[in-house]
Amino acid sequence: MALLAHRVPEDAPGDLFVDTSCIGCDTCRRLAPGIFGGGASGRSFVARQPQGEEERRRALLALVSCPTASIGSASHQGVAEASRALPEEVAPGVLDCGYAAESSYGASAWLLRRPEGNVLVDSPRAARPLLERLRAMGGVRTMFLTHRDDVADHERFREALGCERVLHEADLARGTADVEWVLEGGEPVALDHDLLAIPVPGHTRGSAALLWKHTYLFTGDHLWADPEGRLEASRSVCWWSWEAQLRSLERLLSFEFSWVLPGHGRPTRRESPEAMRRDLADLVERLGGR
Ligand code: SF4
């Protein structure tokens, strides 16, 4: 729980505060831009107190999603309602789970609502209100783990919801050795008629992206957008092979999608798959992959 006595000096005066336990994961700045400030990886602070109901609601979604419980509200007003408001829809059938986990350094997790069975992409924190909401939404059939770093509470989701977990063999570790569906090799694998797993080695050896309906690409830490919506990838957070990551980025040019939804960084969309492909080609060229 955030401690008022430890609020950071940069906080704007008022009810909402960030304390010194912040790890700078960016979750609050992504969920409530403008309310929370801070550098790309530095400690966050309350840049200004929320004005009106919608801003307050977004700020409280950030409060309940903070992986280290570093955000507090002196009044506690609206916090209980916010805890039951996630996941939140960001596109038709695509929901942001919030409830980031510290063990994945606050990575985003996404819920895909589909008649054939819901899919969770990466693992949020297994908080009780989130589990209850997921059950009410029909549960989770498949948990797609983009790579080894963002697996967080996967075992608890498996126990609570019975979901089948998917992870590439190259990213298996002691804690994930018993996942139900192990991807192998470098070729795309159809998980269902509308779901395609695409190996994108680079950030880690077993990184994989998930393409849904030729529209939404869930990229883990392979590809993301900056706060202005520009596509990004970086050698500085590449843990396995930058050359392989460049090849994987180039390979994505042959797929059709207009959304990128990452683990870290910001999601982004383009008006068409062609526009996304143009921007991805520009990124590949800028990074030296072509
Ligand atoms: S969500 Fe929490 S840990 Fe992450 S940047 Fe905001 S205050 Fe810090």
Side-chain angles (χ1 to χ4, degrees):
M1 192 171 114
L3 297 174
L4 190 54
H6 292 176
R7 74 185 300 166
V8 298
E10 300 91 339
D11 277 341
D15 179 71
L16 202 69
F17 63 95
V18 173
D19 78 10
T20 53
S21 64
C22 168
I23 58 172
C25 73
D26 195 45
T27 297
C28 57
R29 301 187 294 252
R30 181 176 66 77
L31 289 173
I35 304 301
F36 296 95
S41 59
R43 192 168 71 182
S44 283
F45 53 86
V46 177
R48 64 175 175 81
Q49 294 291 328
Q51 303 291 318
E53 272 180 35
E54 179 55 17
E55 283 196 0
R56 172 86 184 170
R57 190 185 74 81
R58 296 222 61 81
L60 294 181
L61 292 181
L63 183 155
V64 299
S65 295
C66 173
T68 47
S70 305
I71 304 173
S73 160
S75 69
H76 300 286
Q77 209 174 353
V79 174
E81 291 82 355
S83 72
R84 296 188 291 270
L86 290 159
E88 182 188 56
E89 192 163 64
V90 297
V94 179
L95 291 83
D96 184 341
C97 290
Y99 284 101
E102 187 174 5
S103 61
S104 64
Y105 191 61
S108 300
W110 308 96
L111 179 72
L112 286 53
R113 293 197 79 179
R114 45 197 293 281
E116 302 87 345
N118 296 336
V119 178
L120 198 51
V121 180
D122 287 327
S123 174
R125 188 170 6 119
R128 191 187 309 164
L130 178 61
L131 283 167
E132 285 171 2
R133 282 269 300 187
L134 291 174
R135 284 195 190 96
M137 290 176 163
V140 175
R141 179 171 162 190
T142 306
M143 182 179 219
F144 184 83
L145 300 166
T146 58
H147 66 299
R148 66 180 183 208
D149 300 334
D150 293 349
V151 301
D153 289 343
H154 70 99
E155 285 166 308
R156 292 187 59 196
F157 282 97
R158 166 71 183 167
E159 283 163 22
L161 304 173
C163 48
E164 183 178 45
R165 297 162 295 174
V166 184
L167 180 63
H168 196 281
E169 64 172 345
D171 267 20
L172 292 179
R174 194 161 44 181
T176 48
D178 63 346
V179 301
E180 291 70 32
W181 190 339
V182 176
L183 302 173
E184 296 173 352
E187 292 306 309
V189 176
L191 304 183
D192 207 339
H193 67 96
D194 55 344
L195 287 168
L196 187 69
I198 306 170
V200 286
H203 173 72
T204 62
R205 200 155 70 89
S207 285
L210 182 67
L211 180 60
W212 186 37
K213 297 199 292 195
H214 302 289
T215 302
Y216 305 102
L217 187 72
F218 300 88
T219 53
D221 293 348
H222 175 64
L223 170 69
W224 61 90
D226 69 11
E228 282 72 48
R230 284 184 299 255
L231 292 177
E232 285 293 348
S234 174
R235 186 194 285 264
S236 67
V237 287
C238 176
W239 313 141
W240 182 61
S241 165
W242 181 239
E243 289 68 33
Q245 188 163 345
L246 289 175
R247 284 195 298 275
S248 295
L249 284 168
E250 192 164 3
R251 181 187 202 187
L252 288 179
L253 291 168
S254 59
F255 294 92
E256 194 166 279
F257 56 94
S258 51
W259 281 75
V260 166
L261 298 113
H264 291 105
R266 307 296 169 87
T268 193
R269 67 177 294 195
R270 298 294 181 269
E271 68 274 13
S272 65
E274 292 72 30
M276 181 62 85
R277 189 173 290 123
R278 271 197 304 275
D279 286 359
L280 181 57
D282 286 348
L283 175 71
V284 169
E285 191 163 327
R286 174 156 54 91
L287 296 175
R290 302 182 98 184

